[in-house]
Amino acid sequence: MTAAARLPRTVRNPYRVPRPAVISFSGGRTSSYMLKHIVDAYGGRLPPDVAVVFANTGLERPETLEFVDVCSRAWRVDVIWVEYLWDAPHRTRVVDFATASRNGEPYAALIDRKGFVPNPTLRACTTFLKRDRIESYARHRLGLKRWHAVIGLRADEQRRVLRMRAMNCGSSTGAHAVLPLANAGVREADVLDWWKRQPFDLGIPSYAGNCDLCYLKGRAKLIRLIREEPSRADWWIEQEANVANRTGPDGRACESMKRFRLGETYAELKAAALAHRDLFDEAAASFGESADAGSVDCLCTD
Protein backbone atom coordinates (compact mmCIF):
# COMPACT_ATOMS: atom_id res chain seq x y z
CA MET A 1 0.00 0.00 0.00
CA THR A 2 1.39 3.39 -0.94
CA ALA A 3 1.58 6.39 1.37
CA ALA A 4 -1.16 8.12 -0.63
CA ALA A 5 -3.45 5.10 -0.27
CA ARG A 6 -3.06 5.20 3.52
CA LEU A 7 -4.44 8.74 3.71
CA PRO A 8 -8.13 9.14 4.62
CA ARG A 9 -10.10 10.72 1.77
CA THR A 10 -11.26 13.58 3.96
CA VAL A 11 -7.75 14.72 4.91
CA ARG A 12 -6.55 17.95 3.29
CA ASN A 13 -3.71 17.36 0.85
CA PRO A 14 -0.63 17.60 3.12
CA TYR A 15 1.49 18.79 0.20
CA ARG A 16 -0.52 21.99 -0.18
CA VAL A 17 1.59 23.52 2.56
CA PRO A 18 0.45 26.57 4.54
CA ARG A 19 1.93 29.83 3.29
CA PRO A 20 4.15 31.74 3.26
CA ALA A 21 6.51 28.79 3.26
CA VAL A 22 10.20 28.10 2.94
CA ILE A 23 11.06 24.57 1.85
CA SER A 24 14.34 23.25 3.25
CA PHE A 25 15.80 21.26 0.37
CA SER A 26 18.71 19.08 1.50
CA GLY A 27 19.40 17.56 -1.91
CA GLY A 28 18.61 14.02 -0.73
CA ARG A 29 16.03 11.54 -1.99
CA THR A 30 13.53 12.22 0.78
CA SER A 31 13.49 16.01 0.57
CA SER A 32 13.38 15.91 -3.24
CA TYR A 33 10.44 13.47 -3.07
CA MET A 34 8.73 15.99 -0.81
CA LEU A 35 9.55 18.89 -3.12
CA LYS A 36 8.15 17.16 -6.21
CA HIS A 37 4.94 16.25 -4.43
CA ILE A 38 4.50 19.84 -3.24
CA VAL A 39 5.08 21.10 -6.79
CA ASP A 40 2.52 18.63 -8.12
CA ALA A 41 0.01 19.62 -5.43
CA TYR A 42 0.11 23.16 -6.84
CA GLY A 43 -0.38 22.04 -10.41
CA GLY A 44 3.28 22.00 -11.44
CA ARG A 45 4.19 25.54 -10.34
CA LEU A 46 4.93 26.72 -6.82
CA PRO A 47 3.07 29.83 -5.63
CA PRO A 48 5.25 32.96 -5.36
CA ASP A 49 5.11 32.84 -1.55
CA VAL A 50 6.67 29.35 -1.43
CA ALA A 51 10.47 29.46 -1.62
CA VAL A 52 12.91 26.55 -1.92
CA VAL A 53 16.30 26.96 -0.26
CA PHE A 54 19.35 24.70 -0.35
CA ALA A 55 22.08 25.46 2.23
CA ASN A 56 25.49 24.36 1.01
CA THR A 57 28.23 23.65 3.56
CA GLY A 58 30.85 23.05 0.89
CA LEU A 59 31.09 19.40 1.96
CA GLU A 60 28.05 18.09 0.14
CA ARG A 61 29.11 15.39 -2.27
CA PRO A 62 29.41 16.43 -5.95
CA GLU A 63 26.52 14.11 -6.79
CA THR A 64 24.31 16.05 -4.38
CA LEU A 65 25.04 19.39 -6.03
CA GLU A 66 24.37 17.90 -9.46
CA PHE A 67 21.13 16.36 -8.20
CA VAL A 68 19.87 19.67 -6.79
CA ASP A 69 20.57 21.29 -10.16
CA VAL A 70 18.84 18.50 -12.10
CA CYS A 71 15.75 18.60 -9.84
CA SER A 72 15.54 22.37 -10.26
CA ARG A 73 15.64 22.19 -14.04
CA ALA A 74 13.48 19.08 -14.44
CA TRP A 75 10.69 20.36 -12.21
CA ARG A 76 10.99 24.05 -13.14
CA VAL A 77 11.68 25.06 -9.54
CA ASP A 78 13.78 28.08 -8.62
CA VAL A 79 16.09 26.68 -5.93
CA ILE A 80 17.94 29.34 -3.93
CA TRP A 81 21.47 28.27 -2.95
CA VAL A 82 22.88 29.88 0.21
CA GLU A 83 26.18 29.59 2.07
CA TYR A 84 27.73 30.91 5.26
CA LEU A 85 30.09 33.84 4.73
CA TRP A 86 31.07 36.06 7.65
CA ASP A 87 31.54 39.20 5.57
CA ALA A 88 28.29 38.85 3.62
CA PRO A 89 25.16 40.71 4.75
CA HIS A 90 23.61 38.73 7.59
CA ARG A 91 26.45 36.17 7.19
CA THR A 92 24.67 34.70 4.18
CA ARG A 93 25.63 34.79 0.52
CA VAL A 94 23.55 33.55 -2.39
CA VAL A 95 25.34 31.28 -4.87
CA ASP A 96 24.30 28.85 -7.60
CA PHE A 97 25.38 25.53 -9.04
CA ALA A 98 28.38 27.06 -10.82
CA THR A 99 29.62 29.24 -7.95
CA ALA A 100 28.84 27.01 -4.96
CA SER A 101 31.74 26.02 -2.71
CA ARG A 102 32.98 22.49 -3.25
CA ASN A 103 35.97 22.17 -0.93
CA GLY A 104 34.45 22.83 2.47
CA GLU A 105 35.16 26.57 2.46
CA PRO A 106 32.05 27.71 4.44
CA TYR A 107 32.56 24.91 6.95
CA ALA A 108 36.28 25.67 7.39
CA ALA A 109 35.52 29.39 7.75
CA LEU A 110 33.05 28.63 10.55
CA ILE A 111 35.60 26.46 12.37
CA ASP A 112 38.25 29.16 12.03
CA ARG A 113 35.84 31.77 13.35
CA LYS A 114 34.63 29.69 16.29
CA GLY A 115 38.00 28.14 17.16
CA PHE A 116 36.64 24.62 17.56
CA VAL A 117 35.20 21.81 15.48
CA PRO A 118 31.59 20.65 15.88
CA ASN A 119 30.86 17.34 17.57
CA PRO A 120 27.78 15.23 18.39
CA THR A 121 26.97 17.32 21.47
CA LEU A 122 27.67 20.70 19.82
CA ARG A 123 26.41 20.54 16.23
CA ALA A 124 27.41 24.01 15.14
CA CYS A 125 27.50 22.93 11.50
CA THR A 126 23.78 22.21 11.35
CA THR A 127 22.93 25.36 13.30
CA PHE A 128 25.19 27.93 11.62
CA LEU A 129 25.67 26.47 8.13
CA LYS A 130 22.14 25.24 7.43
CA ARG A 131 19.34 26.32 9.76
CA ASP A 132 20.58 29.87 10.36
CA ARG A 133 21.35 30.45 6.69
CA ILE A 134 17.86 29.42 5.60
CA GLU A 135 16.27 31.52 8.35
CA SER A 136 18.48 34.46 7.42
CA TYR A 137 17.35 34.24 3.81
CA ALA A 138 13.70 34.04 4.86
CA ARG A 139 13.93 36.98 7.21
CA HIS A 140 16.26 39.35 5.40
CA ARG A 141 15.90 38.48 1.70
CA LEU A 142 12.22 37.51 1.65
CA GLY A 143 11.24 39.99 4.37
CA LEU A 144 9.27 37.46 6.39
CA LYS A 145 8.60 37.84 10.10
CA ARG A 146 6.77 34.54 10.40
CA TRP A 147 6.73 31.65 7.96
CA HIS A 148 6.23 27.91 7.66
CA ALA A 149 9.50 25.95 7.52
CA VAL A 150 8.76 22.87 5.40
CA ILE A 151 11.03 20.00 6.44
CA GLY A 152 11.31 16.50 4.97
CA LEU A 153 10.95 14.26 8.00
CA ARG A 154 9.15 10.98 7.29
CA ALA A 155 6.57 9.10 9.32
CA ASP A 156 9.14 6.40 10.15
CA GLU A 157 11.40 9.00 11.83
CA GLN A 158 9.14 9.39 14.84
CA ARG A 159 11.81 10.52 17.30
CA ARG A 160 12.87 13.34 15.00
CA VAL A 161 9.25 14.21 14.15
CA LEU A 162 8.26 14.47 17.80
CA ARG A 163 11.33 16.54 18.61
CA MET A 164 10.65 18.93 15.74
CA ARG A 165 7.00 19.35 16.68
CA ALA A 166 7.94 19.94 20.31
CA MET A 167 10.38 22.66 19.24
CA ASN A 168 7.49 24.52 17.61
CA CYS A 169 5.96 25.14 21.02
CA GLY A 170 8.90 27.31 22.04
CA SER A 171 9.92 28.72 18.68
CA SER A 172 10.94 32.37 18.77
CA THR A 173 12.61 32.60 15.34
CA GLY A 174 9.46 33.11 13.29
CA ALA A 175 9.75 29.71 11.64
CA HIS A 176 7.00 27.16 12.34
CA ALA A 177 7.91 23.64 11.23
CA VAL A 178 5.58 21.84 8.83
CA LEU A 179 6.18 18.14 8.13
CA PRO A 180 4.13 17.08 5.08
CA LEU A 181 5.78 13.66 4.71
CA ALA A 182 5.08 12.71 8.31
CA ASN A 183 1.52 14.01 7.95
CA ALA A 184 1.08 11.94 4.77
CA GLY A 185 2.38 8.76 6.41
CA VAL A 186 5.33 8.50 4.00
CA ARG A 187 8.00 5.99 4.93
CA GLU A 188 11.45 5.31 3.51
CA ALA A 189 10.17 2.42 1.40
CA ASP A 190 7.67 4.77 -0.27
CA VAL A 191 10.45 7.18 -1.17
CA LEU A 192 12.78 4.54 -2.57
CA ASP A 193 9.99 2.86 -4.54
CA TRP A 194 8.99 6.21 -6.07
CA TRP A 195 12.54 7.00 -7.12
CA LYS A 196 12.84 3.65 -8.90
CA ARG A 197 10.16 4.88 -11.30
CA GLN A 198 11.76 8.26 -12.05
CA PRO A 199 13.90 9.10 -15.11
CA PHE A 200 16.82 10.24 -12.91
CA ASP A 201 18.06 9.62 -9.38
CA LEU A 202 20.65 10.71 -6.83
CA GLY A 203 23.87 8.89 -7.64
CA ILE A 204 24.87 8.15 -4.05
CA PRO A 205 24.53 4.81 -2.19
CA SER A 206 22.23 5.05 0.82
CA TYR A 207 25.01 4.38 3.33
CA ALA A 208 27.08 7.35 2.11
CA GLY A 209 24.67 10.23 2.70
CA ASN A 210 24.96 13.77 1.35
CA CYS A 211 27.54 15.23 3.72
CA ASP A 212 31.01 13.90 3.06
CA LEU A 213 32.25 11.84 6.07
CA CYS A 214 29.85 13.53 8.49
CA TYR A 215 30.97 12.84 12.07
CA LEU A 216 27.44 11.73 12.99
CA LYS A 217 27.80 8.65 10.82
CA GLY A 218 28.64 5.48 12.67
CA ARG A 219 32.25 4.30 12.72
CA ALA A 220 31.55 1.37 10.41
CA LYS A 221 30.20 3.64 7.68
CA LEU A 222 33.10 6.06 8.02
CA ILE A 223 35.62 3.21 7.81
CA ARG A 224 33.94 1.93 4.67
CA LEU A 225 33.84 5.37 3.03
CA ILE A 226 37.48 6.12 3.85
CA ARG A 227 38.57 2.78 2.43
CA GLU A 228 36.69 3.55 -0.76
CA GLU A 229 38.39 6.95 -1.09
CA PRO A 230 41.09 7.64 1.56
CA SER A 231 41.61 11.27 0.53
CA ARG A 232 38.10 12.12 1.76
CA ALA A 233 39.44 12.09 5.31
CA ASP A 234 42.13 14.72 4.65
CA TRP A 235 39.88 17.79 5.02
CA TRP A 236 38.60 16.54 8.36
CA ILE A 237 42.13 15.76 9.54
CA GLU A 238 43.27 19.25 8.55
CA GLN A 239 40.45 20.95 10.49
CA GLU A 240 41.24 19.00 13.66
CA ALA A 241 44.92 19.89 13.25
CA ASN A 242 44.05 23.58 12.88
CA VAL A 243 42.38 23.72 16.31
CA ALA A 244 44.68 21.27 18.09
CA ASN A 245 46.45 24.02 20.05
CA ARG A 246 43.44 26.24 20.72
CA THR A 247 42.46 27.03 24.31
CA GLY A 248 39.40 28.60 25.88
CA PRO A 249 39.11 32.16 27.29
CA ASP A 250 40.50 30.92 30.62
CA GLY A 251 43.58 29.45 28.94
CA ARG A 252 42.56 25.85 29.47
CA ALA A 253 42.40 23.33 26.66
CA CYS A 254 39.08 21.64 25.94
CA GLU A 255 39.88 18.36 24.24
CA SER A 256 36.29 17.55 23.27
CA MET A 257 36.17 20.69 21.10
CA LYS A 258 39.23 19.63 19.11
CA ARG A 259 37.70 16.46 17.69
CA PHE A 260 34.63 15.93 15.51
CA ARG A 261 34.14 12.49 17.05
CA LEU A 262 34.42 12.12 20.80
CA GLY A 263 36.24 8.80 20.65
CA GLU A 264 38.98 9.31 18.06
CA THR A 265 40.45 11.79 15.62
CA TYR A 266 39.96 11.52 11.86
CA ALA A 267 43.69 10.84 11.53
CA GLU A 268 43.24 7.83 13.82
CA LEU A 269 40.11 6.83 11.91
CA LYS A 270 41.93 6.94 8.58
CA ALA A 271 44.84 4.97 9.98
CA ALA A 272 42.45 2.32 11.28
CA ALA A 273 40.61 2.16 7.97
CA LEU A 274 43.81 1.60 5.99
CA ALA A 275 45.51 -0.70 8.50
CA HIS A 276 43.21 -3.69 8.25
CA ARG A 277 39.82 -4.87 7.13
CA ASP A 278 37.36 -5.55 9.89
CA LEU A 279 34.65 -7.90 8.63
CA PHE A 280 32.28 -6.72 11.35
CA ASP A 281 32.70 -3.12 10.22
CA GLU A 282 31.98 -4.07 6.62
CA ALA A 283 28.89 -6.10 7.56
CA ALA A 284 27.52 -3.41 9.86
CA ALA A 285 27.94 -0.68 7.27
CA SER A 286 26.13 -2.72 4.64
CA PHE A 287 23.03 -3.01 6.86
CA GLY A 288 22.62 0.73 7.28
CA GLU A 289 21.81 2.91 10.25
CA SER A 290 20.02 0.34 12.39
CA ALA A 291 23.01 -1.98 12.44
CA ASP A 292 25.47 0.78 13.25
CA ALA A 293 25.20 1.68 16.91
CA GLY A 294 27.51 4.66 16.49
CA SER A 295 25.18 6.57 14.18
CA VAL A 296 23.40 9.66 15.48
CA ASP A 297 20.41 11.54 14.11
CA CYS A 298 21.24 14.84 12.46
CA LEU A 299 18.84 17.74 12.01
CA CYS A 300 19.79 17.72 8.34
CA THR A 301 17.33 15.59 6.40
CA ASP A 302 18.18 13.22 3.57
Side-chain angles (χ1 to χ4, degrees):
M1 181 181 295
T2 66
R6 288 196 292 267
L7 279 173
R9 292 179 182 273
T10 57
V11 172
R12 178 180 182 272
N13 186 341
Y15 298 111
R16 290 186 66 87
V17 295
R19 294 141 55 191
V22 177
I23 300 172
S24 297
F25 185 25
S26 74
R29 289 184 177 90
T30 294
S31 68
S32 53
Y33 172 101
M34 177 185 72
L35 174 59
K36 182 60 165 67
H37 282 68
I38 294 173
V39 171
D40 289 347
Y42 283 103
R45 282 287 189 179
L46 292 178
D49 57 353
V50 177
V52 182
V53 184
F54 168 65
N56 180 44
T57 68
L59 283 184
E60 275 73 25
R61 292 170 62 108
E63 299 95 330
T64 299
L65 303 187
E66 293 166 4
F67 186 63
V68 172
D69 185 54
V70 170
C71 290
S72 176
R73 290 185 284 107
W75 302 335
R76 298 185 300 167
V77 174
D78 183 17
V79 177
I80 307 301
W81 297 48
V82 296
E83 292 181 356
Y84 168 83
L85 180 64
W86 177 261
D87 294 328
H90 310 292
R91 313 287 182 249
T92 306
R93 73 166 184 158
V94 177
V95 296
D96 55 27
F97 174 69
T99 61
S101 300
R102 287 169 165 78
N103 296 299
E105 296 93 339
Y107 205 146
L110 176 68
I111 292 171
D112 184 65
R113 190 81 193 180
K114 295 295 183 182
F116 63 85
V117 298
N119 61 53
T121 60
L122 190 61
R123 305 179 194 180
C125 48
T126 299
T127 302
F128 286 94
L129 299 179
K130 288 189 171 289
R131 187 197 68 190
D132 287 1
R133 303 288 61 80
I134 294 174
E135 290 187 357
S136 172
Y137 185 85
R139 184 174 296 108
H140 300 294
R141 294 294 188 104
L142 298 179
L144 300 175
K145 293 183 178 180
R146 298 188 64 81
W147 66 93
H148 299 90
V150 184
I151 301 170
L153 294 181
R154 302 184 307 266
D156 55 351
E157 299 176 287
Q158 274 301 305
R159 182 172 60 177
R160 300 173 73 186
V161 168
L162 292 173
R163 185 167 65 233
M164 186 63 67
R165 286 175 173 161
M167 288 170 62
N168 270 342
C169 297
S171 176
S172 59
T173 66
H176 182 88
V178 175
L179 313 176
L181 297 180
N183 294 339
V186 172
R187 308 177 72 83
E188 183 179 25
D190 300 314
V191 174
L192 296 179
D193 181 65
W194 184 83
W195 273 110
K196 289 176 183 177
R197 303 192 302 272
Q198 304 312 305
F200 63 91
D201 190 10
L202 174 62
I204 297 177
S206 58
Y207 64 84
N210 288 334
C211 183
D212 180 55
L213 293 190
C214 175
Y215 58 86
L216 294 178
K217 290 183 173 71
R219 188 175 189 272
K221 289 183 179 179
L222 291 172
I223 288 286
R224 179 174 182 175
L225 290 167
I226 293 171
R227 285 180 182 149
E228 291 175 353
E229 191 173 342
S231 63
R232 287 191 180 277
D234 294 344
W235 183 92
W236 301 84
I237 293 171
E238 180 182 357
Q239 301 311 310
E240 289 183 327
N242 288 342
V243 301
N245 297 320
R246 299 282 180 94
T247 59
D250 58 1
R252 291 186 300 173
C254 183
E255 295 304 318
S256 66
M257 300 178 76
K258 299 179 181 182
R259 297 190 300 270
F260 290 102
R261 293 171 56 79
L262 302 184
E264 60 190 331
T265 66
Y266 270 74
E268 293 168 337
L269 194 64
K270 182 177 180 179
L274 300 181
H276 63 278
R277 287 191 171 272
D278 188 323
L279 294 180
F280 174 79
D281 280 352
E282 295 287 354
S286 68
F287 282 106
E289 210 68 41
S290 61
D292 195 339
S295 295
V296 180
D297 278 343
C298 179
L299 291 180
C300 309
T301 64
D302 66 352

